[in-house]
Structures are given as C-alpha cells and as structure tokens.
Amino acid sequence: MIYQRNFIKELSFTAVGIFVVLLAVLVSTQAINLLGRAADGRVAIDAVLALVGFWVIGMTPLLLVLTAFISTLTVLTRYWRDSEMSVWLSCGLALKQWIRPVMQFAVPFAILIAVMQLWVMPWVELRSREYAEILKQKQELSMVETGEFNSLGKSKGRVYFIETFDTESGIMKNLFLREQDKNGNDNIVFAKEGNFSLNDNKRTLELHDGYRYSGTPGKADYNRISFQHLSLIISTTPKLIDPVSHRRTIPTAQLIGSSNPQHQAELMWRISLTVSVLLLCLLAVPLSYFNPRSGHTYNILIAIGLFLVYQNGLTFLRNAVEDGKIHFWLGLLPMHIIMFAVALILLRVRSMPSQPFWQAVAKSLTLKGGK
C-alpha cells in the first residue's frame, strides 16, 4: 500500500539522522575518554584512533536498537500529533495494521544486529583487546632514554643506564644494569650491547658480550661471570585474551551448549539484543499515542521508562545467569514475554482512544477486549 511505502521511507530517513546524531555524541565522548587515558599512560597514544574505531563497531548493535526504537516512536508520534492517525482510526482501520510496516522496517535491523552480535562482535572484541595490549607493550618496551638512570619494568630494584640507543634497530650500546634480589644482594651487569624482546608473553632484555657481578654490599665477596648472551625477564604478562575474563571474545559456536554460567550469560545477551529491537519497535506503535488537544508528551516519558526497565531487566537477568542463580532459559525469556504482553495490551488500549485509559486497560484484559 502507498501509506506503507511512504511510512517506511520516512522511517528510513529519520533512522539515518538519528543514527548519525547518536554516533557523533558517543564517539566524541569515547574519544575524549581515551585521550584522557592516553595522557595518563594507560592507553598507547598510537592506539586511540584504532580503539575508537573498534569501540564504534562494538557499540553499533545497541545504537541500532536505539535508532530503530526512536525512529518508529518519532514518526508515529508525528502521525498522532498531525491527526493522521485519528483519520486512520475514524475510517474503521485498526491500529494493529501498522504492525506489518513497522516489522518490515525492524526486521532488517534485527538481522543486522544478529549477524553482528553472533559473528562479527566476538572477532572485533578479540582484535580490539589484542591490538590495545600489543601497542601498550610496544610502547613500554620502546620508552628507552639514553644518558640517564631509569628503573626497568615495574620493579624499583632494577636500574639501568644506556650510553647509546639506535631507534631503528632497537639495539643499545654500553649498557649498565643494577638489580637487587630477594636477599638484598646486588647484581651488577655490564654489556656491550642489548635489546628488548617480547616472546611467549614475557618481556625480556637480551644482553650480549658482558660481565655480571654479584655479592653483598660492603663485603668483598663479589663474583664475576662473563657471558656472551644473557636473558633477563623484565615482566611476565598474562595471555593477551583471557577467555573467562573476556568472554565477549568467544565465538558464538563455542557458547552454544556450554555449561559455564558466564558463557550462558554472554549467549543470552547476544540473543536478547536481537529480540529486543523487534519488541521495542512493536511497543513504539501504541507508545506513540499523542493527544493533540492536551499537548502532553507523557508517551515519550513512558517510552523512556519502559526502555530502561527492559534493558535493566535484561542486565539483571544476565547477571543472575552469570552467577549461576537461574537457568539460561529463565534468564532469556521473562523480560521478552513481559514486554510482548505489555505491547499487546497497549495496542488494545490505544485502539480505543475514546475510552478512559484504565477502563480501556480493564477491557483489554478480558476475553472481549478492544479490537
């Protein structure tokens, strides 16, 4: 029908504008946050732009949910405000006939969100965390200053001095290193050259052609050992990605059938976002009701309230599944069923705009509810 084509066209243009606005606000906020963390040294400076890109992809599913919901609510509210919906109802047509075009608009969003949540997002999350960690490690290993005494790694007991450093090859010349062991003994190392390396999640300092002196300060018990190659572990880092701590990086195929509560909670969340966009668009049909005579915008407040209840309810149930308090299906279904029931009741209520609200609610709950 003509009205359906025009409606979907208007929804599409509105969705593009809303998505761009939401994206601009969130990107600017995250960019400022990452720049602040980079200034504190918690994030590599070179990683800020890439991390913003990864973060945008990660936030896209939620942005799509908000875009679909706000677009449907905005366009249908305008129809009520301009009395187009009143004309529609006065012609004997039911409000539920708007469900089909709304679903035609929402289903592509649901498919896109499902693809991103189930397949794209785990890969993006994994690459994002790996990229951030690798850049951070490279930045720490490359912060070498010549002609000064500096601490090595996180330990304050290690101090090094480098005469020259070639930034291109990463080779240091005439290196001095002093460290203390757990017993308070001093170890002094002189080497002609050395370089930092990162292997098997271990940051090491590779030294060549030098001597190592060990002993107790104030006593003449120092031992001298010459070496051609010496590897000193600077720090041992955990794996770049811990599957338990970062379960969002786990492919969906591995989550299905898993008995791990954390994996079940993650799978529940990925599915819930896909379902929520359909139910929120369905809710937007009755929630868009607007009385031009009163001029009140209570529908917007109610829509915001229901959205917050929906999302917080899903988060609460996800945490309950993660803690092992409830089963996967008991965490997945309740909020969706409740919101679907609310949408059906409100559809019946708004199909009877002449009836007082609570009277219409009572009628909609009976077997002979409004049409």
Side-chain angles (χ1 to χ4, degrees), residues 229-255:
H229 179 265
L230 177 65
S231 295
L232 297 178
I233 298 177
I234 300 172
S235 63
T236 302
T237 61
K239 293 182 179 180
L240 291 179
I241 299 298
D242 181 4
V244 177
S245 301
H246 307 299
R247 59 185 181 274
R248 294 197 303 180
T249 63
I250 301 176
T252 303
Q254 297 182 18
L255 298 178

Side-chain angles (χ1 to χ4, degrees), residues 3-255:
Y3 87 94
Q4 291 182 350
R5 291 196 298 269
N6 291 335
F7 175 63
I8 294 176
K9 182 179 179 181
E10 185 173 353
L11 278 176
S12 301
F13 282 112
T14 305
V16 171
I18 291 174
F19 183 81
V20 170
V21 171
L22 291 176
L23 185 63
V25 172
L26 293 177
V27 167
S28 60
T29 302
Q30 183 65 7
I32 294 173
N33 180 34
L34 286 175
L35 287 173
R37 294 170 63 185
D40 295 338
R42 291 178 292 170
V43 175
I45 297 176
D46 296 338
V48 172
L49 185 60
L51 289 179
V52 169
F54 282 125
W55 183 85
V56 168
I57 299 175
M59 287 297 296
T60 298
L62 183 58
L63 286 179
L64 291 175
V65 172
L66 285 170
T67 298
F69 180 51
I70 296 174
S71 300
T72 307
L73 190 65
T74 301
V75 173
L76 288 178
T77 299
R78 187 192 68 78
Y79 283 10
W80 280 102
R81 185 178 62 250
D82 296 344
S83 301
E84 293 182 26
M85 196 66 73
S86 300
V87 174
W88 175 273
L89 295 177
S90 65
C91 293
L93 299 174
L95 187 62
K96 64 182 181 181
Q97 290 182 263
W98 286 96
I99 296 177
R100 181 176 178 179
V102 167
M103 288 298 104
Q104 288 178 347
F105 171 75
V107 166
F109 278 86
I111 295 174
L112 181 57
I113 292 172
V115 171
M116 295 195 67
Q117 284 288 98
L118 299 179
W119 291 284
V120 177
M121 292 308 305
W123 180 86
V124 170
E125 189 70 23
L126 179 64
R127 297 286 86 80
S128 172
R129 293 181 184 276
E130 286 185 346
Y131 182 76
E133 184 65 22
I134 289 173
L135 279 183
K136 183 178 179 181
Q137 292 175 0
K138 287 183 177 180
Q139 185 185 47
E140 290 179 356
L141 293 178
S142 63
M143 292 176 65
V144 177
E145 297 181 4
T146 60
E148 295 182 6
F149 286 93
N150 295 289
S151 59
L152 182 63
K154 297 181 180 180
S155 175
K156 296 181 179 179
R158 281 181 170 178
V159 178
Y160 72 93
F161 178 91
I162 298 172
E163 184 176 343
T164 61
F165 175 61
D166 187 350
T167 57
E168 294 183 359
S169 62
I171 296 177
M172 299 168 284
K173 298 288 187 180
N174 299 328
L175 186 142
F176 164 85
L177 175 67
R178 181 248 185 195
E179 63 177 351
Q180 272 189 334
D181 58 23
K182 296 181 180 179
N183 298 324
N185 297 326
D186 273 346
N187 293 313
I188 308 297
V189 179
F190 294 95
K192 290 185 178 180
E193 66 177 41
N195 63 281
F196 290 107
S197 67
L198 177 62
N199 296 310
D200 298 328
N201 298 317
K202 292 182 180 179
R203 301 171 187 173
T204 60
L205 177 60
E206 307 292 337
L207 302 175
H208 306 279
D209 299 329
Y211 297 91
R212 180 170 184 171
Y213 300 86
S214 60
T216 305
K219 297 182 180 180
D221 60 349
Y222 276 84
N223 297 320
R224 173 183 170 180
I225 301 175
S226 63
F227 61 85
Q228 291 184 344
H229 179 265
L230 177 65
S231 295
L232 297 178
I233 298 177
I234 300 172
S235 63
T236 302
T237 61
K239 293 182 179 180
L240 291 179
I241 299 298
D242 181 4
V244 177
S245 301
H246 307 299
R247 59 185 181 274
R248 294 197 303 180
T249 63
I250 301 176
T252 303
Q254 297 182 18
L255 298 178

Side-chain angles (χ1 to χ4, degrees), residues 69 278-288 306 339 342-343 346:
F69 180 51
L278 297 175
L279 293 179
L280 285 172
C281 287
L282 180 63
L283 271 169
V285 176
L287 288 176
S288 61
L306 282 176
M339 288 299 152
V342 170
L346 290 178

